[in-house]
Amino acid sequence: MSLDYVKFSNGFEKFMPKEYRDMVEHGPFGKKVTVSQMGNFKEVLEEHPMCAGCAMTLFIRLAMIAFPNPEDTITVGTAGCGRLAISQAAIPFVYGNYGDQNGVASGLSRGLRLRFGDKPKDVVVMAGDGGTADIGFQQVLHSWFRKERFTTIMLDNEVYGNTGGQESGMTNRGAVLKMAPLGKKFEKMDMLQMAKVAGCAYVATVVPNNPRRVESVIKKAVLIAREVGSTYIQAYTSCNIEYAIPTDKVMEDAKTVENDRYQFTEYVSDEAKQYLTERYGYKEFLPKPAAPAAAIPGKA
Amino acid sequence: MYLVADIIVEICAAKSCKLCTQYCPEANTILYSEEMGKDQGFKYGSAYVAVDRCKGCAQCVWVCDNMAKNNAIKMIMIDQLPKAALTDNITYGEKSTTAVLASPVVG
């Protein structure tokens, strides 16, 4: 949980694989890296067994770059495709039982605060739509009601992609899948509204066809979760296998879905706005300059 | 044999939009080199593919054709690439990477 864990042990330097040496010497630890520098530094994510062209992988890759302090971050996940890639990164990963990721993260983030005090240690939950909205729903909602200070990211592929294509709470109404041949009969769950009702300080939707936006949203969510309260990001990460999207059309699909039902939305609580502005110098939440007095009718 | 992405240096080094590096789902697969391209007299460096990591999804081809409109990436059978970058031959610098190209198919 510090820069010390990304160093070589004395005498072992020459025995380490090239990927590890590159990561220690040219990785993002202790530096500020951005999406625009991608391709020029060694990323914390390594080779992983996820399907070719998976949009979820792209999102995870961008998320790993967006973490403000990767050396002080722990990711928590649960069963689902995402864990296949998240676990292949040089960031400690905790893998709970199915659905208990927000419970595990609650304890973890409280424990880290006891152990390290004010020193920021970020806990980020990344789980699929099944882990967040179906099986882990109760723990997710309770962690939000308790205002636990960590970030929850839903990798929403709108299907149980890992087990053959069953419908999930986040599947769209009418969607026909391999294991839902009659089509889903219920609406997609409105997790965004639930997050707001449960008191999340930051709620956003994002699609990975805009890497800079993914970066900015994740940075804000992680920073707000340090002090203010729970934060929630819902990311559309299509399953090109279960929805039969040709791999070279994955970004086209992301664009279509973004225009259809995944428009970028961002909710920031007043407390979070104030925190980001005062603590981290964000300018976007400052009050807009007032219009000239003469333009306002009825004012002298 | 299987398809991997191949970036045409002549087009990439003239535009250098770097979009493909941001849209590849695989980490450290499409990399950027300041020298590649500049050594051939082009204005910018060029992106290139570490073919041993490429899974052949062709997402970069769509991004290059439709978002950047440069048409600089093509899918090619790996044994038809004369020389390509491999992870073992890539060195990371302060702000860029350098690749020594080698035959992608051994034997």
Side-chain angles (χ1 to χ4, degrees):
Chain A
M1 287 306 281
S2 73
L3 281 172
D4 285 339
Y5 90 86
V6 279
K7 282 180 186 163
F8 300 113
S9 299
N10 277 341
F12 281 89
E13 207 175 318
K14 59 185 172 188
F15 301 109
M16 299 312 283
K18 180 181 185 300
E19 286 85 353
Y20 191 87
R21 270 185 280 125
D22 285 341
M23 206 262 306
V24 173
E25 286 158 8
H26 302 287
F29 296 106
K31 300 175 203 159
K32 293 270 179 275
V33 291
T34 62
V35 162
S36 52
Q37 288 164 274
M38 280 165 88
N40 290 329
F41 63 91
K42 176 77 183 122
E43 292 169 37
V44 287
L45 187 63
E46 252 303 321
E47 284 183 287
H48 52 75
M50 294 202 30
C51 306
C54 178
M56 190 184 286
T57 327
L58 172 59
F59 180 83
I60 292 168
R61 183 179 170 220
L62 294 168
M64 298 284 177
I65 290 166
F67 290 157
N69 291 35
E71 65 275 9
D72 291 321
T73 304
I74 293 184
T75 50
V76 184
T78 191
C81 300
R83 60 96 165 65
L84 296 169
I86 305 166
S87 57
Q88 302 301 319
I91 291 178
F93 172 66
V94 180
Y95 183 58
N97 290 317
Y98 205 169
D100 73 357
Q101 73 281 0
N102 277 51
V104 171
S106 300
L108 195 57
S109 100
R110 289 186 192 190
L112 289 170
R113 271 169 234 279
L114 281 176
R115 166 71 179 77
F116 293 101
D118 290 339
K119 213 171 166 209
K121 300 285 173 190
D122 304 319
V123 177
V124 180
V125 170
M126 272 201 263
D129 48 323
T132 311
D134 294 351
I135 297 164
F137 183 61
Q138 170 249 93
Q139 304 209 12
V140 169
L141 223 56
H142 271 273
S143 75
W144 290 345
F145 276 117
R146 291 196 306 267
K147 302 216 174 351
E148 299 285 352
R149 286 172 289 175
F150 62 85
T151 305
T152 308
I153 300 176
M154 182 204 279
L155 307 164
D156 180 15
N157 56 7
E158 305 185 326
V159 65
Y160 283 87
N162 220 356
T163 47
Q166 294 83 358
E167 65 176 50
S168 81
M170 299 301 284
T171 306
N172 274 302
R173 186 182 182 139
V176 176
L177 296 157
K178 278 186 210 148
M179 302 270 182
L182 299 178
K184 194 187 171 195
K185 294 193 170 60
F186 314 101
E187 294 295 334
K188 184 181 173 94
M189 284 168 73
D190 191 354
M191 286 294 281
L192 295 167
Q193 208 54 43
M194 271 185 271
K196 285 177 205 166
V197 170
C200 283
Y202 181 85
V203 181
T205 45
V206 76
V207 174
N209 69 354
N210 191 337
R212 278 168 196 269
R213 185 178 284 162
V214 173
E215 182 188 25
S216 119
V217 161
I218 290 179
K219 264 208 170 87
K220 278 187 249 179
V222 173
L223 293 177
I224 291 171
R226 283 182 182 173
E227 297 266 332
V228 183
S230 307
T231 55
Y232 173 59
I233 296 171
Q234 189 175 310
Y236 174 71
T237 54
S238 61
C239 178
N240 53 324
I241 305 293
E242 295 305 334
Y243 279 90
I245 308 162
T247 52
D248 60 337
K249 297 279 189 297
V250 165
M251 280 301 116
E252 194 177 303
D253 164 77
K255 210 172 169 188
T256 315
V257 172
E258 186 180 28
N259 293 334
D260 174 42
R261 58 179 181 274
Y262 247 98
Q263 284 94 353
F264 172 63
T265 56
E266 191 179 43
Y267 160 79
V268 196
S269 74
D270 291 339
E271 195 189 345
K273 279 181 190 168
Q274 194 187 352
Y275 172 73
L276 281 184
T277 312
E278 287 173 6
R279 180 76 174 75
Y280 293 102
Y282 275 73
K283 292 199 174 72
E284 59 187 276
F285 304 117
L286 288 172
K288 302 273 177 292
I296 302 169
K299 274 208 168 182
Chain B
M1 284 301 133
Y2 56 96
L3 291 164
V4 290
D6 183 43
I7 300 177
I8 303 163
V9 174
E10 287 77 13
I11 305 176
C12 187
K15 304 276 185 176
S16 192
C17 69
K18 298 188 190 175
L19 272 187
C20 53
T21 61
Q22 298 174 12
Y23 282 87
C24 177
E26 303 300 312
N28 288 122
T29 302
I30 303 188
L31 294 150
Y32 187 80
S33 169
E34 285 289 348
E35 289 101 68
M36 202 182 280
K38 273 189 180 167
D39 55 7
Q40 295 175 36
F42 291 101
K43 198 176 171 188
Y44 305 108
S46 170
Y48 62 94
V49 180
V51 290
D52 50 341
R53 285 173 175 249
C54 178
K55 286 182 182 167
C57 68
Q59 224 173 90
C60 52
V61 177
W62 191 87
V63 167
C64 195
D65 292 355
N66 294 285
M67 291 176 92
K69 304 208 188 306
N70 289 339
N71 304 314
I73 311 182
K74 301 277 175 275
M75 299 306 288
I76 290 186
M77 281 289 167
I78 191 160
D79 60 342
Q80 286 167 21
L81 275 174
K83 279 189 168 181
L86 297 164
T87 302
D88 279 350
N89 302 334
I90 292 167
T91 41
Y92 292 85
E94 277 305 303
K95 283 184 178 167
S96 172
T97 66
T98 317
V100 179
L101 303 185
S103 166
V105 183
V106 181

